[in-house]
Amino acid sequence: MVDSLKKPGFEEIRPGVKVPAKETILTPRFYTTDFDAVAEMDISPNEDELQAILEEFRVDYNRHHFVRTTEFEQSWDHIDGETRQLFIEFLERSCTAEFSGFLLYKELARKLKDKNPVLAECFSLMSRDEARHAGFLNKAMSDFNLQLDLGFLTKSRSYTFFKPKFIFYATYLSEKIGYWRYITIYRHLEAHPEDRIYPIFRFFENWCQDENRHGDFFDAMMRSQPQILNDWKAKLWCRFFLLSVFATMYLNDIQRSGFYKALGLDAREYDIHVINKTNESTAKVFPVVLDVENPIFYQRLDQCVQNNAKLTAIVSANTPKFVQFFQKLPYYTSNAWQLLQLYFMKPIEAAPLQGTAR
Ligand SMILES: [Fe+2]
Ligand SMILES: [Fe+2]
């Protein structure tokens, strides 16, 4: 009884090691790319900025930040039931996302070492940061009597191949959205310390600065390859990546609103804030951003949230699989339709907001 309370409904590979969450369209991905193409990139159009960012990475501002304080040394069994389950899921998702960054950056650093030393060192120092982030989250999971076997995760997950320019769009966005996610939680708990039910959130202030610097690196990297930002294809792809990242986060977070509620946050308001802020940051480098101020934007996402709730109910019912297939069809169709409409919403040209090129 007590054990089931401590480890709510999670399967284990071996005692204390959690079976990684099933891969779905909404779980964090692992990436691989054309390493030779990145190695051959000529960064000279923006070398000064990249060099300045490298200097910042070398300073290593968070060298002494990720040290577990005595605050962690207590029983966390009072976080129980659904909150505990959501907490562990949050830690696992965050750890997986951080670790995915670590693996990609580490591999880039290794493959670029001899051909492109400036980029190789940047990737190596970013992988240092991501390893710390993932390790800190994994240690936090052990406070809830579970951990992830990161070696197992490395071998067992499937890797999505993206061409370098897509890696840059996707990682830029994930770093910037990561920054806004962490800082928003931090600021909220700074104003409402009574909601800080676990000490990890106190670390988010300096932590998110790592993500911000990583985002700035990809910003500088994309500017060194202006051809990936300045044609009509870039505009279409940027819209695609913005929508994918925003919709995935929105659907995930609202499904887990209990986690945010435990911190005194409203998941929907939190996500809208994070999306609006990330969209605004992105306008500094992407040629277009999404019209997230248009109320239709969130109305359509909310329709997808409702569809997903219906889909979950259908899957959990005791009806035969082929019946479920036909029951699910209209909701899948509606989701596809909403996302397509969102994709074709008139975007906002970012160039006028960027002023003269840096
Ligand atoms: Fe990170
Ligand atoms: Fe990062």
Side-chain angles (χ1 to χ4, degrees):
M1 179 67 202
V2 173
D3 266 347
S4 68
L5 190 78
K6 280 183 195 160
K7 298 169 187 172
F10 289 118
E11 284 181 68
E12 291 163 86
I13 304 175
R14 49 182 192 275
V17 179
K18 188 182 172 302
V19 171
K22 216 173 99 214
E23 277 177 67
T24 69
I25 193 162
L26 295 179
T27 47
R29 309 199 148 269
F30 283 32
Y31 297 104
T32 182
T33 190
D34 181 347
F35 297 104
D36 292 333
V38 183
E40 272 148 33
M41 280 179 178
D42 172 17
I43 55 166
S44 58
N46 201 18
E47 185 147 17
D48 290 349
E49 197 184 353
L50 284 162
Q51 194 70 50
I53 290 172
L54 174 56
E55 294 301 329
E56 283 240 300
F57 286 160
R58 283 180 180 153
V59 176
D60 196 2
Y61 297 98
N62 283 337
R63 180 190 307 247
H64 303 298
H65 183 61
F66 294 96
V67 179
R68 278 169 59 97
T69 47
T70 48
E71 281 174 283
F72 288 92
E73 291 167 15
Q74 55 160 295
S75 162
W76 298 100
D77 287 352
H78 59 277
I79 300 179
D80 57 8
E82 200 197 345
T83 310
R84 190 177 181 91
Q85 180 140 1
L86 291 166
F87 229 85
I88 294 169
E89 271 180 28
F90 170 81
L91 294 173
E92 176 179 6
R93 293 183 66 82
S94 308
C95 179
T96 309
E98 297 280 11
F99 188 65
S100 146
F102 161 76
L103 286 178
L104 177 69
Y105 301 160
K106 187 82 195 159
E107 198 57 10
L108 277 158
R110 205 170 67 82
K111 296 268 172 61
L112 270 54
K113 203 163 179 268
D114 302 319
K115 292 188 192 154
N116 208 328
V118 172
L119 286 190
E121 193 178 350
C122 285
F123 282 118
S124 167
L125 297 177
M126 289 196 297
S127 76
R128 165 202 70 194
D129 297 340
E130 305 301 17
R132 279 180 192 149
H133 302 166
F136 205 68
L137 285 156
N138 206 11
K139 193 80 189 98
M141 281 183 75
S142 71
D143 290 335
F144 298 87
N145 310 317
L146 283 168
Q147 274 204 297
L148 283 181
D149 180 338
L150 297 176
F152 175 77
L153 206 60
T154 311
K155 283 182 248 139
S156 65
R157 285 290 293 252
S158 51
Y159 289 73
T160 306
F161 176 88
F162 270 170
K163 284 207 287 194
K165 69 169 177 178
F166 300 140
I167 287 283
F168 297 155
Y169 300 147
T171 45
Y172 169 80
L173 280 174
S174 78
E175 296 290 358
K176 285 291 173 185
I177 209 165
Y179 165 76
W180 284 110
R181 285 174 66 79
Y182 287 143
I183 195 66
T184 305
I185 292 178
Y186 179 83
R187 294 270 177 249
H188 162 75
L189 295 178
E190 189 181 38
H192 303 275
E194 69 283 4
D195 289 331
R196 195 190 290 123
I197 55 175
Y198 182 65
I200 201 164
F201 306 111
R202 240 180 9 82
F203 289 76
F204 280 9
E205 189 183 28
N206 292 21
W207 184 327
C208 75
Q209 294 307 331
D210 282 342
E211 312 305 6
N212 205 23
R213 280 185 285 270
H214 299 168
D216 290 343
F217 164 79
F218 286 107
D219 175 316
M221 190 62 217
M222 286 188 282
R223 281 176 210 276
S224 79
Q225 314 295 309
Q227 74 283 3
I228 70 168
L229 291 174
N230 61 14
D231 64 3
W232 61 272
K233 282 185 281 183
K235 288 186 177 180
L236 291 178
W237 282 114
C238 287
R239 285 161 70 181
F240 172 80
F241 278 95
L242 280 160
L243 181 60
S244 312
V245 169
F246 292 166
T248 309
M249 180 181 81
Y250 197 80
L251 298 181
N252 265 319
D253 284 350
I254 296 196
Q255 217 172 43
R256 297 171 176 80
S257 51
F259 169 77
Y260 296 91
K261 205 170 159 206
L263 304 183
L265 278 163
D266 176 278
R268 189 171 183 273
E269 281 172 25
Y270 168 76
D271 269 48
I272 291 177
H273 175 78
V274 169
I275 289 174
N276 292 355
K277 286 296 188 184
T278 308
N279 201 53
E280 206 177 293
S281 304
T282 308
K284 292 185 191 133
V285 62
F286 277 13
V288 284
V289 290
L290 303 184
D291 186 9
V292 295
E293 305 275 325
N294 187 334
I296 294 172
F297 185 83
Y298 291 104
Q299 280 168 25
R300 293 201 181 280
L301 285 180
D302 287 331
Q303 184 60 56
C304 294
V305 169
Q306 286 173 26
N307 292 340
N308 280 8
K310 296 262 172 46
L311 288 166
T312 311
I314 293 169
V315 177
S316 346
N318 237 344
T319 38
K321 284 273 182 276
F322 77 93
V323 176
Q324 289 190 2
F325 173 80
F326 289 104
Q327 287 174 325
K328 287 192 285 188
L329 210 54
Y331 300 108
Y332 279 134
T333 314
S334 168
N335 272 354
W337 176 245
Q338 298 306 332
L339 292 170
L340 205 66
Q341 295 279 306
L342 282 166
Y343 181 72
F344 285 110
M345 262 175 82
K346 194 174 182 306
I348 295 171
E349 292 289 324
L353 311 169
Q354 290 165 3
T356 48
R358 279 194 304 192

